[in-house]
Each structure stands twice: as structure tokens, then as C-alpha cells.
Amino acid sequence: MLTVSNLTKAYNGRTVLTVPALHLPSGIHYFRGGNGSGKTTFFRTVAGLLPFSGEILLDNQFEINRDPVAYRMRVNYAEAEPLYPSFLTPRDLVGFVGKAKQSPAGQVDTLLETLGVNKFWTQTTGTFSSGMLKKLSLLLALLGTPQLVLLDEPLTTLDIATAARLFDYIRQLRAEQNVSFLLTSHQDISLTGLDLTGTWQVGEGVITAVTEQV
Amino acid sequence: MLTFLNRIFVGPFYARNAGTFLVIVLLAFGFLSAREHKALITAALGSPFLLAIVFVLWGLYLLKTTSFVRQALSAPEHLFLQSFWLVPNVTRYVLWLAIQIALLFPIIAYAGWMVQIATTYQKWDSLSAIVIYVMILVGVGAAMNDHRLRHPSPDTFRLPNFTFKLPYELFFPTYWLRHEPLSFVLTKAFSGLLLAGVCRLYPTDDYDQRLLLIGLLLAVLGHSQVGGQVSAFERQYLLFLQNLPLSWLQRFGRYVVTYGLLWLPELLILIRNCPAEIRLDYVVWLWLTGWGWIMLMHSLAYKYDVMPEGWLTGVIAAFVIGLLTIMFGLPVGAWLVLGWLGAVGCWYRSFTTRSLT
């Protein structure tokens, strides 16, 4: 599903992440590691948010730099600590992202219900709690028809009921549309009840396999 | 602690306003010789009315500095600064005074020059007024900053929220108007007044179209900081943009609309003040040229992390080269093509060039 080759990411000349070769089969992958280990940098790089050296290939077909539009149509990302302009509402942001990601008809309504964003649909994000911001970021990351969704710390600040509905939805996407997920979490990942395809350790800018079921 | 606070407030203030400072320096010292400038100061020292105008301008600058500090204090990444409140009152106020003096440094330096001239001409009343006013500015600024620190969420006047779905093209204009209103007003007032001024000046002497082009050049350079502001806004609040499946052309097109809206008031000003000797279509070409060059500055500023001093050098160089090229008679059509081609080319290049950092 995702193949990473010779990836090097540096900030101001200092290398923070090196991935010589990594192949992730379709499924749900859990990335663990301490603070500052490089998980978020890896996720942001795979999501196309950061420039890097190397190659990232989706489904042996879409390379992140050669096919920037097709790749980004299929890869979505939710921030660990989302932040949006305080004067915008979920309606504004979902309207824009949903159009760009070509969200199918009815999808927004389903996600609004699942994540409970419908309760503050026209409220400005400046009035949001961190949990409400998290719900909005998850909603944006599930728009369109992605093949891979990167969820950075999806459990943080999310209430238990919404988390349960979110993981049901993830299971449904996995079963019905073969969508793959990459997750990070500092909390007990077994709480999600998801069947993990692989677990990966990120530390000192290097990614190593802990368990992998291919 | 002062070094730390300087890194939060003083450094970023000068970095963000580098473009504005450049324009002020160009206006104040580029068009006036040192002798003329000295004569202007002497006139202000002898006229309470002129001195009052200088004081009003300094007051506006004070508002700009306190507005920046307020924004910095309310920024989510600076929430930890609330602990600054725990520093003993006297120490904290002294620190605020030091920060405010650093922020008001251009005014204090200019006031020092005025004081020196006032001493030469023995204008003791004006000298006293300047010294007292500068001290008031520093004190009031420090007090305003401290008040904001102790009242982090005041019930202030807020613009009403929109009841319609806000399109992406209006995200930055809305942010600029709501969160950096002084920068918005100063940029647009400078640009608008300058263009209106050159249009009104045109019929008073034997000027040609180069005067209008010089006015346009300065108005465009007055917008030089906007690309950096757009970039900073989107990097902080709209991180997901880079994940969206939009081609370089689609992204460019959206910025064209955004900047077109921001630059629209200048079209109305040019049409309203169009000199009788100038054809209406010429000022429209002039406006389209300005739009293209503002887009070029956006393309240059958006993707690259340009250091403020590097950017400032670039703007000064652009002014000098632009002025020389205008004086050599490069027509508006050539400026139009160069601006738009440069904007598209730089934008395309920034999306096809990869880097490690």
C-alpha cells in the first residue's frame, strides 16, 4: 500500500528522520514512540505537508512529488493538535476541504452525525474546546475517498462516546472500502478495539518494525 | 528574562514590519534631502500645529506596537506568557518599559534628532514637549501591555460573525481585517493615498506617465509584506492546505482572486482620480500591472523562508532597479507581462523544486 524509499527529512540542515526502506501493506498500522521521536514529522511528510528527500509511493502507482494531486486525493491527515482561524466555522472549513477532496454526496452529513460536529456546525472555532477542534480535524481527515488516512493522536481530548463511534466508522471503512490507517497514540491503543496489521517503533529519527502481520 | 521577552515581542515586531519601515524610510529620507528634512523639523519645532501632527503620527505608531503585543499575548502558542503576571509588579513594569522602549526605538531616535536641533535653536518649549511626550508614549505603552496581560479576555468590540459560508479566497482578507487591522489600514491607506496623490500631482506640471508608474511601484512595494503574512497565516492555521489535491495552477488561481480583492480599492482610486490627460484604459493597465507584481511578491515570499533582512534588501534593490527602469522608459505593457510571467514562473518553480528542509 505505502512504500517509502531513501526518505530523509532535515530541519535547517539537521536530519531528524531517516527511512531507508519501509513497506506498509494495506491495513491499520500503529506507530509508537516517545515525545520528539519523529512520529508527527513522518506523518506530516507522508501527508505531503513537508518537503523531503526520497520517494513515497502509494499503491505502486502514485508518487507524492510526481503525482501531487492524485496522491493527495488518496491520502488524508488529521493533526495531533489542530488549530484553525478563530473566525471560521466547521461549515466554512468543511465546505472548502470537502470540495477539494471531492467528498461524495451525503458523506458530510454522516460524518457530522458520527463525530457530533453538527452540534457546533455554524459556531466559530475560536469558541471551541480542544475536543471540539479534534472532532473537526478528524472530520476533515475523513472527507473524500481516501485510500490512506493518517491519524496523529486521535484519542487525545476525544470523549469516550465519540471515540467509540469513530473507531466503528474506521472499522467500516476498512471492511467496506479497504481504507488503510496509520495511527499514533500515547494512550493504550487496545482501547480502540482495532485489529492492527503492524506496530512500528519510531525513535531517534528511525522507524523499526515491532510486529507485522503481512 | 528581558532577552527572552525581546525574542517574543521585539524581534518579531521588527521582522513583521520590515516592509512598512522600508516604505517610511524611503518616503522620509528618499524624497527629502537631509537639509530639507532638517528644515521640516525646524518648522515643526516652531509650530505647535506641525508638532501636534508629528505627535499624532507617533501616537499611531504606539498603537501599532501595542496592537502587536496584544496579538502576541493572545496567540495560542504564547499562552504560557500568562505566568509573566506572577512576576512582582515593579519588576514586571520595568520589563514592560524596556520592551516598549525597544519597540518605540525609531521614534525615540527621531525624537533625539529633533531634540538636538531644538537645542541648537534653543526651542526649549518644543524640546520639553517632545521629551515629555516620548516619556508618556513609553509609559502608556507599557501600561497598556500590562493591562492586557492582566485582562487576557476582555469584552472588546468584535466584528460580527458571518452568517454565510465563507469561501477560501476570503479567509486571509478576513484574518487581516480582524486580527491585524492596523497593518491592513496602514497598507491600504498608504497605497491608496499614494496613488491618489500621484494622480492629482500629474496635471500640476509637465509630468509624463512615468510619474504614475513610480507611484505604482511604491504602492506595490507597500504591499511587500503581505505575501509573508499570507504564508504565516496559512502555516499556522491552515496546515491542511498542503494536503489538499490542488494543482499549482489551482492554488495560484485562488491567490489571484484573493489578491485581486485586496488590490481592488486601488482600481477604484485610480479610476476616480484618473488625470484628464490620461486615458482610462491606461490606468486599468496600470492596476493590472500592480496586481501582477503583487502576485510576484507573493510567489517569492510564500514558499521560501526568506529572512527579514534578506527580504528588506530585495525590496530596496527592487525599488532602485524599478526606478531606474521606469526612468529609462519601460512601458506599462512590458511591466505587466514581466510581473505576471514572473509570478506564474516563480510559483510553478516553488512547487516543482524539492528541498530537504
Side-chain angles (χ1 to χ4, degrees), chain B residues 56-136:
Chain B
V56 168
L57 292 174
W58 290 358
L60 286 174
Y61 180 84
L62 171 75
L63 286 179
K64 191 171 176 64
T65 62
T66 53
S67 158
F68 179 83
V69 172
R70 280 167 168 250
Q71 272 177 35
L73 282 173
S74 59
E77 68 271 25
H78 292 155
L79 269 179
F80 68 92
L81 280 173
Q82 286 305 309
S83 55
F84 185 37
W85 193 355
L86 303 174
V87 173
N89 285 354
V90 176
T91 314
R92 196 179 69 238
Y93 202 76
V94 168
L95 286 167
W96 276 129
L97 284 175
I99 290 163
Q100 199 57 47
I101 287 170
L103 291 172
L104 292 174
F105 181 74
I107 281 180
I108 294 169
Y110 195 77
W113 189 20
M114 290 184 81
V115 163
Q116 188 246 319
I117 294 171
T119 311
T120 309
Y121 292 103
Q122 298 187 338
K123 295 274 185 189
W124 306 119
D125 48 350
S126 299
L127 185 150
S128 312
I130 291 167
V131 171
I132 292 169
Y133 189 68
V134 168
M135 286 166 70
I136 289 172

Side-chain angles (χ1 to χ4, degrees), chain A residues 55-197:
Chain A
E55 193 178 72
I56 299 177
L57 197 62
L58 182 74
D59 288 343
N60 291 319
Q61 196 178 355
F62 305 106
E63 207 281 321
I64 190 168
N65 289 313
R66 280 199 304 271
D67 318 290
V69 177
Y71 179 91
R72 284 166 176 79
M73 190 64 89
R74 291 162 178 82
V75 176
N76 288 5
Y77 171 61
E79 276 285 309
E81 293 170 11
L83 183 63
Y84 304 107
S86 60
F87 54 88
L88 292 182
T89 64
R91 180 179 58 183
D92 302 325
L93 289 162
V94 171
F96 174 51
V97 178
K99 193 175 171 189
K101 291 276 183 184
Q102 297 179 9
S103 169
Q107 185 186 47
V108 170
D109 292 332
T110 308
L111 286 169
L112 284 177
E113 196 71 38
T114 305
L115 294 163
V117 177
N118 48 356
K119 291 170 192 153
F120 43 90
W121 178 236
T122 56
Q123 209 173 308
T124 53
T125 62
T127 62
F128 282 15
S129 69
S130 51
M132 291 156 86
L133 285 171
K134 179 61 106 181
K135 289 176 182 178
L136 177 57
S137 80
L138 290 165
L139 193 159
L140 294 175
L142 293 167
L143 289 172
T145 48
Q147 288 176 22
L148 172 65
V149 182
L150 305 135
L151 302 177
D152 198 355
E153 294 288 346
L155 291 169
T156 313
T157 71
L158 205 61
D159 63 68
I160 295 168
T162 309
R165 286 199 300 274
L166 170 71
F167 292 118
D168 283 343
Y169 189 73
I170 287 175
R171 266 188 290 273
Q172 188 188 331
L173 286 180
R174 179 84 205 102
E176 294 173 6
Q177 296 175 36
N178 194 29
V179 179
S180 294
F181 291 86
L182 307 190
L183 308 169
T184 70
S185 182
H186 288 296
Q187 283 144 48
D188 185 359
I189 197 72
S190 65
L191 293 174
T192 62
L194 297 171
D195 293 326
L196 298 179
T197 310

Side-chain angles (χ1 to χ4, degrees), chain A residues 19-61:
Chain A
V19 186
L22 177 71
H23 177 74
L24 301 176
S26 180
I28 300 175
H29 296 267
Y30 168 48
F31 286 76
R32 68 185 195 193
N35 298 124
S37 57
K39 301 187 298 295
T40 297
T41 299
F42 178 64
F43 273 37
R44 285 184 176 184
T45 306
V46 173
L49 269 59
L50 300 175
F52 67 98
S53 161
E55 193 178 72
I56 299 177
L57 197 62
L58 182 74
D59 288 343
N60 291 319
Q61 196 178 355

